[in-house]
Amino acid sequence: MSAEKISMPDLNGRTAVITGANSGLGLETAKVLAGLGARVVLAVRDTGKGEAAARLIEGETEVRRLDLADLASVRAFAEGWKGDLELLINNAGLMAVPKSTTEDGFETQFGVNHLGHFALTNLLLEHVTGRVVTVSSGLHRLSRGIHFDDVNLEKGYTPYRAYGRSKLANLLFTLELQRRLDEVGSPVLAVAAHPGYAATNLQGRTGNALEDRAMGVLNKVVAQSAAHGALPTIHAATQDVPGAFFAGPTGLFMNGAPGPSSRSSAARDAEAARRLWDLSEELTGVSFPL
């Protein structure tokens, strides 16, 4: 299925921010949204790579620096923002990397994939007029819950365990954000998406040579392209969907046309979502602004 077969809105005069838009799913999403007329801001850690990516996009773009592993960078990005923001797409992330910590001392995957986006969203939320789209993963099912007494996984870190937990956090964040938006009568939607199995530069960074080689083979044999993997994000950003919607591929082997996707029972736990929100506010010093 191609993006052209999806009924798309006219985004002329609208602005979209996409984190991690210099490659993979973020770049493919940026190409589509710019093609629909949106001004697309590529929020990237490496502005040189961002500028190179922007040259591949037909339409209006801007590159701004954002390092989600550094809350000072997140704050600087938000403080420099002016005007309305139709779409905030929390796309950037790390997958199954060796244990490390962010500038603020958080376990890196939780810090980048969840806490960085949590802070960014709340700092920008007063500007958002349309939707917040957060990219999760089908591998959120690897985690049965958030370990609130060990958020940095000091009692037992494995790359995929940490990744699954961070992607579960993305879904719980979306659930609680939508609840809060509904509570204050905001028209903004909080939705999520996952790409299925798409070949991007996320894979192959576990630090285990055997695992990385196996992932490389699977990417060539099984995975769909980044362009196809971006379709659920585009679906969540542009189609008529309810709040807290979770989009994903509807075909076998985590590929195919985008549509509604199922999530684990842990990802539907409203109490865990509230508890995670409170913890995230405490860790980042950022709270819901509405």
Side-chain angles (χ1 to χ4, degrees):
M1 180 178 180
S2 66
E4 289 76 17
K5 293 182 180 179
I6 304 172
S7 176
M8 294 289 197
D10 181 357
L11 295 179
N12 277 292
R14 310 293 179 89
T15 298
V17 166
I18 306 175
T19 66
N22 59 282
S23 65
L25 303 176
L27 175 56
E28 298 301 330
T29 301
K31 289 177 179 177
V32 172
L33 296 184
L36 294 172
R39 166 179 167 257
V40 178
V41 177
L42 287 68
V44 298
R45 186 163 57 96
D46 186 325
T47 55
K49 291 181 178 179
E51 295 289 355
R55 289 193 288 271
L56 303 175
I57 300 170
E58 295 184 9
E60 184 181 358
T61 60
E62 180 184 349
V63 176
R64 295 195 187 189
R65 187 176 186 278
L66 172 67
D67 184 355
L68 290 162
D70 183 353
L71 290 177
S73 175
V74 175
R75 288 183 181 277
F77 182 95
E79 287 169 1
W81 190 263
K82 307 294 181 187
D84 289 343
L85 177 56
E86 175 71 12
L87 296 170
L88 171 59
I89 299 184
N90 294 323
N91 162 83
L94 298 170
M95 177 179 175
V97 297
K99 187 175 183 180
S100 61
T101 58
T102 68
E103 289 292 328
D104 303 281
F106 308 128
E107 184 277 309
T108 298
Q109 294 189 77
F110 187 67
V112 170
N113 297 356
H114 169 60
L115 290 175
H117 282 127
F118 173 90
L120 179 69
T121 299
N122 282 292
L123 290 169
L124 289 177
L125 196 56
E126 290 179 303
H127 297 279
V128 177
T129 58
R131 301 184 190 186
V132 176
V133 183
T134 300
V135 179
S136 181
S137 169
L139 294 183
H140 75 276
R141 296 177 182 277
L142 293 175
S143 179
R144 295 181 180 178
I146 305 297
H147 298 278
F148 291 101
D149 60 342
D150 185 24
V151 293
N152 287 317
L153 295 182
E154 294 172 352
K155 299 177 183 177
Y157 179 91
T158 65
Y160 280 100
R161 178 188 181 208
Y163 179 68
R165 181 189 66 154
S166 72
K167 296 289 101 177
L168 171 62
N170 290 154
L171 289 174
L172 292 174
F173 162 67
T174 299
L175 185 65
E176 177 63 7
L177 176 57
Q178 186 61 60
R179 186 192 72 79
R180 287 169 177 257
L181 291 167
D182 288 343
E183 189 174 60
V184 298
S186 171
V188 173
L189 289 183
V191 293
H194 78 91
Y197 188 2
T200 71
N201 61 5
L202 274 184
Q203 295 99 346
R205 299 183 179 184
T206 66
N208 182 306
L210 183 60
E211 284 187 21
D212 290 348
R213 284 198 296 270
M215 185 63 71
V217 172
L218 288 172
N219 275 3
K220 293 179 180 179
V221 175
V222 179
Q224 60 185 343
S225 68
H228 279 81
L231 291 179
T233 301
I234 296 162
H235 184 91
T238 65
Q239 303 302 292
D240 184 11
V241 298
F245 183 78
F246 186 32
T250 57
L252 296 175
F253 308 113
M254 293 191 291
N255 56 29
S261 182
S262 64
R263 68 193 88 189
S264 69
S265 58
R268 299 191 300 270
D269 187 337
E271 179 55 35
R274 292 186 183 93
R275 190 176 177 189
L276 175 63
W277 189 283
D278 291 342
L279 174 64
S280 301
E281 286 194 349
E282 178 183 340
L283 293 175
T284 64
V286 178
S287 58
F288 185 68
L290 303 184

